[in-house]
Amino acid sequence: DQQVKQNSPSLSVQEGRISILNCDYTNSMFDYFLWYKKYPAEGPTFLISISSIKDKNEDGRFTVFLNKSAKHLSLHIVPSQPGDSAVYFCAASDTGANSKLTFGKGITLSVRP
Amino acid sequence: DAGVTQSPTHLIKTRGQQVTLRCSPISGHKSVSWYQQVLGQGPQFIFQYYEKEERGRGNFPDRFSARQFPNYSSELNVNALLLGDSALYLCASSLYGLINQPQHFGDGTRLSIL
């Protein structure tokens, strides 16, 4: 039972364009959401997070949007760069579970030069 | 500053054996969590420890156990290994293990069961 779903396994984008990575969740108890990036042979690296009290959080080229009513979040990368090519994981947590993270399956982003 | 370090990086075992994986958190971090990542899936939560106490446990059998030491390092033990235990085992640390403190991951231990 996937509580965090990343339904698109891959995304290919031209350098300089916007990348939009989507994530859906089913557990209404989730109130904190994170995105991690993973390169081959490395552990996941924290990218950006958002609390359920917000609907948007921005950090440089990365913006995360949260739509609680739709149980949907998205990560926007503008402009996309070849170095952004990696696997992106959406993760969620709820206050009652301390820092236990529930991850999606990941999306492989390829940014073409 | 050193990040989260895990050892060994790779390990090959046979069914029925036992394995111990090790993790050193970022200096100053008191919480350590363990995750299992099977090929094609996202990491799945196994355990969280804070100040040597187990704070959370995922849906894994009792063959999986862990502990945290006074220096905050941690070990994950798996007994009676099965083929399905083949995976990347990730360790993550954070300051106090709170929801709004992002976890920092090590590069993992790749465990292969023959």
Side-chain angles (χ1 to χ4, degrees):
Chain A
D1 178 28
Q2 283 277 315
Q3 297 187 67
V4 176
K5 301 178 183 180
Q6 295 178 264
N7 292 321
S8 302
S10 62
L11 176 67
S12 182
V13 170
Q14 191 75 35
E15 180 180 5
R17 299 290 189 97
I18 183 172
S19 294
I20 300 176
L21 290 73
N22 293 307
C23 177
D24 298 291
Y25 61 96
T26 58
N27 189 339
S28 58
M29 297 297 292
F30 288 148
D31 52 11
Y32 199 75
F33 304 89
L34 308 90
W35 285 92
Y36 280 84
K37 178 170 72 173
K38 188 179 185 303
Y39 293 118
E42 294 183 11
T45 302
F46 169 72
L47 206 52
I48 192 169
S49 62
I50 188 167
S51 165
S52 61
I53 62 174
K54 295 185 174 182
D55 55 16
K56 176 182 175 181
N57 189 25
E58 195 170 352
D59 184 2
R61 296 186 298 114
F62 302 91
T63 303
V64 56
F65 295 92
L66 175 62
N67 182 334
K68 290 189 292 292
S69 61
K71 293 191 176 67
H72 176 83
L73 62 155
S74 60
L75 175 67
H76 292 211
I77 306 174
V78 183
S80 301
Q81 299 173 354
D84 295 330
S85 298
V87 177
Y88 288 78
F89 290 100
C90 172
S93 184
D94 72 76
T95 308
N98 293 299
S99 63
K100 169 189 172 183
L101 295 175
T102 300
F103 284 85
K105 291 185 178 182
I107 301 172
T108 300
L109 174 65
S110 299
V111 180
R112 307 185 304 273
Chain B
D1 283 345
V4 176
T5 57
Q6 293 186 242
S7 64
T9 54
H10 294 85
L11 204 49
I12 299 175
K13 292 284 188 178
T14 57
R15 282 178 296 175
Q17 285 189 310
Q18 174 265 339
V19 69
T20 298
L21 311 180
R22 295 176 176 82
C23 172
S24 293
I26 291 173
S27 178
H29 283 194
K30 299 184 177 182
S31 176
V32 168
S33 296
W34 287 95
Y35 291 81
Q36 179 196 64
Q37 186 180 10
V38 174
L39 198 62
Q41 302 291 320
Q44 187 173 358
F45 174 77
I46 310 175
F47 287 110
Q48 185 198 2
Y49 276 78
Y50 175 70
E51 290 282 10
K52 304 185 293 296
E53 297 289 327
E54 181 183 301
R55 188 182 261 185
R57 172 185 285 255
N59 189 24
F60 280 81
D62 292 342
R63 299 185 295 108
F64 289 76
S65 63
R67 55 180 175 169
Q68 186 178 32
F69 299 98
N71 67 352
Y72 303 110
S73 67
S74 178
E75 287 182 351
L76 175 70
N77 295 286
V78 187
N79 293 323
L81 287 166
L82 303 174
L83 292 177
D85 296 331
S86 295
L88 178 68
Y89 288 85
L90 294 163
C91 173
S93 75
S94 65
L95 271 172
Y96 304 116
L98 299 177
I99 185 175
N100 61 348
Q101 293 173 340
Q103 296 179 52
H104 300 266
F105 284 82
D107 290 340
T109 294
R110 174 71 61 184
L111 176 62
S112 299
I113 311 301
L114 302 180

